[in-house]
Amino acid sequence: IQYMNVLAIIPARGGSKGIPHKNIRNLAGKPLIAYTIIAAKKSKLIDKIVVSTDDKKIAKISEAYGIEVPFLRPKNISKDNSSTIEVVKHTLEFLRTNQDYIPDMIIVLQPTSPLRTTRLIDNAIKILRRSKSSCVISVSKIKKHPFSAFWLKSGLLKPFKQNFTKYDRRQKHPDLYFPTGSIYAFWDKTIKKYNSMYGPKIKPILVNTEDIDIDNPLDLFFTEMIIKNWNRYKKRFD
């Protein structure tokens, strides 16, 4: 397989409503973002890693872990409603203009997924490289199925699916998968052609324990317990 330029982008803005300064919160002795940085640095398939942030503290911590922070992200793409595609396009334009660097493949690694492993990152890159897909994203099989859900209308519950009693047992539910947010791998040409990270052919990479996406203090607590105790605890089931 011919050599390809693979760029990892770690998007980490300073603002966060659920947990202030979330991306640099201490998690089992390290800043949250450090777990993603370390996993990306161990990959033999990634040749460039960039942290895109609007926050000087995040930039300083990232650089302390040996990661390039070539710019501070503009405020207009660092808001609550800013999209990941805006961040990716800004990073690509900066690298093309200032470093004459154009990747073949991009992998977006959100710092809120600290349990994501180097092995998972490499597998996503390999799947994209060997398949004819336009994108590879991490997904997990959903546990709470929408066929059993209800709308709330005028104070009353209305079935999301009219014939919901047909799906009263979990075994009757069709398999559905939800993006975990930990990995988005796609081609540079996918963005150029479709103005999207996805394109028409989206390939899954299935994850289990790595599907935690930290959004609130309880998520941080669960994740810290997993980091500290899971390897020892799971031996009970070996």
Side-chain angles (χ1 to χ4, degrees), residues 76-231:
N76 66 314
I77 55 168
S78 303
K79 301 173 183 175
D80 283 338
N81 60 354
S82 297
S83 65
T84 304
I85 185 73
E86 289 178 294
V87 173
V88 170
K89 287 165 78 173
H90 172 266
T91 303
L92 292 175
E93 179 62 21
F94 182 93
L95 295 178
R96 184 184 66 79
T97 305
N98 294 276
Q99 299 184 9
D100 196 28
Y101 177 85
I102 300 173
D104 300 294
M105 187 190 296
I106 299 107
I107 184 161
V108 173
L109 304 171
Q110 308 271 15
T112 47
S113 298
L115 301 182
R116 176 214 307 102
T117 61
T118 303
R119 184 179 178 186
L120 191 73
I121 293 170
D122 286 348
N123 284 345
I125 293 170
K126 288 173 185 174
I127 290 169
L128 184 60
R129 198 163 62 180
R130 291 169 183 167
S131 70
K132 292 184 178 179
S133 56
S134 52
C135 176
V136 172
I137 66 171
S138 56
V139 296
S140 60
K141 191 183 288 189
I142 66 169
K143 297 181 179 73
K144 295 180 180 178
H145 205 281
F147 283 13
S148 301
F150 291 83
W151 301 99
L152 182 61
K153 292 183 178 179
S154 304
L156 295 174
L157 293 172
K158 304 288 183 185
F160 175 73
K161 197 166 181 64
Q162 290 303 318
N163 59 342
F164 74 103
T165 52
K166 179 183 173 184
Y167 302 98
D168 58 350
R169 291 208 315 277
R170 192 176 63 191
Q171 292 84 349
K172 293 182 179 179
H173 291 158
D175 289 342
L176 284 179
Y177 299 88
F178 199 83
T180 67
S182 66
I183 285 183
Y184 297 88
F186 48 93
W187 301 106
D188 181 53
K189 62 187 178 186
T190 300
I191 285 197
K192 287 174 179 166
K193 187 173 181 180
Y194 301 102
N195 195 32
S196 161
M197 298 188 302
Y198 299 99
K201 294 182 178 178
I202 305 169
K203 201 94 169 160
I205 183 164
L206 195 60
V207 300
N208 293 308
T209 50
E210 297 125 324
D211 71 347
I212 286 183
D213 180 27
I214 290 177
D215 189 47
N216 56 53
L218 189 60
D219 296 333
L220 266 180
F221 171 75
F222 284 148
T223 308
E224 184 149 316
M225 292 305 101
I226 290 169
I227 291 169
K228 288 182 174 179
N229 302 307
W230 175 240
N231 284 336

Side-chain angles (χ1 to χ4, degrees), residues 10-76:
I10 302 174
R13 67 187 187 91
S16 173
K17 288 182 177 177
I19 307 172
H21 309 296
K22 176 170 64 178
N23 288 316
I24 52 175
R25 282 276 173 174
N26 185 297
L27 176 65
K30 289 195 282 281
L32 175 58
I33 194 172
Y35 291 88
T36 294
I37 289 173
I38 291 165
K41 284 182 75 174
K42 286 179 180 175
S43 170
K44 300 285 195 294
L45 303 179
I46 294 171
D47 66 295
K48 190 177 186 67
I49 306 169
V50 170
V51 168
S52 170
T53 186
D54 60 324
D55 187 280
K56 289 180 180 177
K57 285 183 180 177
I58 293 174
K60 191 174 180 181
I61 287 170
S62 301
E63 287 170 342
Y65 277 89
I67 295 299
E68 190 179 346
V69 188
F71 54 80
L72 278 181
R73 193 199 304 171
K75 295 294 179 187
N76 66 314

